[in-house]
């Protein structure tokens, strides 16, 4: 799952996959702005066939998003 999310991040912003770790901050480390996060959430919903509540979690790190997706898939 982490590898799939890394690929989405790479495809969306061109961030080197080696720079994406579980502790990476979307804003500070990867340069995501609010619009980038909305797009990533939409892409993750499609990739993992889940629904992420628009008023739901505020993902600060890649690890937080991975944990959320894992719980949704259980």
């Amino acid at each position: 799952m982490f590898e799939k999310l890394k690929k989405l991040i790479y495809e969306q912003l061109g961030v080197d996959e080696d720079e994406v770790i579980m502790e990476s901050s979307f804003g500070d480390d990867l340069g995501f702005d609010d619009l980038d996060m909305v797009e990533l959430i939409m892409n993750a919903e499609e990739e993992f066939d889940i629904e992420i509540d628009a008023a739901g979690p505020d993902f600060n790190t890649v690890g937080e998003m991975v944990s959320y997706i894992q719980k949704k898939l259980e």
Side-chain angles (χ1 to χ4, degrees):
M1 173 170 323
F2 173 61
E3 294 300 320
K4 284 185 180 182
L5 188 57
K6 276 177 49 170
K7 185 176 179 188
L8 289 177
I9 292 167
Y10 167 75
E11 290 173 352
Q12 184 173 332
L13 287 183
V15 173
D16 185 353
E17 289 185 54
D18 293 334
E19 293 179 22
V20 180
I21 59 173
M22 293 288 277
E23 295 81 17
S24 295
S25 164
F26 284 110
D28 295 336
D29 298 326
L30 303 177
F32 273 60
D33 62 22
D34 290 342
L35 185 57
D36 294 325
M37 281 305 299
V38 170
E39 187 176 343
L40 179 62
I41 288 170
M42 289 172 36
N43 290 337
E45 286 177 324
E46 185 176 319
E47 176 71 27
F48 298 105
D49 195 28
I50 60 171
E51 187 172 322
I52 299 173
D53 184 21
D58 183 22
F59 302 114
N60 294 311
T61 66
V62 172
E64 289 175 3
M65 189 171 209
V66 168
S67 294
Y68 180 87
I69 293 169
Q70 285 174 333
K71 287 178 185 171
K72 291 291 273 189
L73 292 174
E74 290 178 352

